[in-house]
Every structure is written in structure tokens, then in C-alpha cells.
Amino acid sequence: MMTAFMLWMSGSGVHIFSIMITGMAIYNPVKSALTVSTAFSRFDDAKMSPADKTSLLFSKLTFVVMNLLAMCGALYKMSLMGLLPNTPSDWVSFLAVPPNVQFASGGSI
């Protein structure tokens, strides 16, 4: 929630603060989603018998989904700032130039 609040407060202009906040909002969920086992290692009790252990799969899956949701918020913010190429005019440089249909030259008679 704090990241969402900071994204909202940073505005939609392309400034150093808003870019830093948006970069942090993308980097932290990716880092957290890749280190799920480290984040849940303190809840995995190795001393318990296998019958008494609870599965952390649903909790880990919820953790990853919430991080992906936070990253989607950051991507939406990047879209509002104009940093993502999501309009056809962003891709116009990749269009092929059509050949000339007519040729004209100037000269005197």
C-alpha cells in the first residue's frame, strides 16, 4: 500500500523522483517473487514431524500474486507517464517507407 501511495503522490510527469519510485515499484516485486523460499524459510519448521507440518504453498502463491499485482500497478504508472510503447505512434519508426509512385524533376525547356 505504501508503494501505491508513493506512485500516486509522485504524479504522472517524467521527473527523476517519479522515475525512481516507478523503478523501485518494479524492482521490489520482482526481487520478492524470486526469493519466495527465503522469505518463508522462517515459517518452515524442520523440527516438526511430517504429519504436523502445514503446507505453505497457498501462502507462497498468494505472496507471488500480490507481488505481481504490485508490479502491474507500476506498469500502469509507466503507461500513464508515457514510458511504455503502447500506442501505434510509438512503433511508427518500424514501418516500411512505401516506394515513390511518381517522380518529378525541375528543369527549363
Side-chain angles (χ1 to χ4, degrees), residues 3-76:
T3 303
F5 178 71
M6 289 178 70
L7 285 172
W8 178 66
M9 289 297 290
S10 66
S12 61
V14 182
H15 306 291
I16 188 68
F17 183 72
S18 59
I19 290 175
M20 286 186 338
I21 294 298
T22 308
M24 176 211 53
I26 289 177
Y27 175 73
N28 284 341
V30 170
K31 183 180 73 165
S32 295
L34 293 176
T35 59
V36 172
S37 59
T38 305
F40 283 89
S41 65
R42 63 183 173 160
F43 301 112
D44 191 21
D45 194 11
K47 292 181 269 182
M48 294 179 76
S49 67
D52 294 333
K53 270 190 161 179
T54 58
S55 175
L56 295 175
L57 180 65
F58 184 71
S59 300
K60 289 179 181 181
L61 195 62
T62 305
F63 182 74
V64 170
V65 167
M66 294 302 284
N67 279 309
L68 288 176
L69 185 66
M71 191 174 69
C72 286
L75 290 174
Y76 177 71

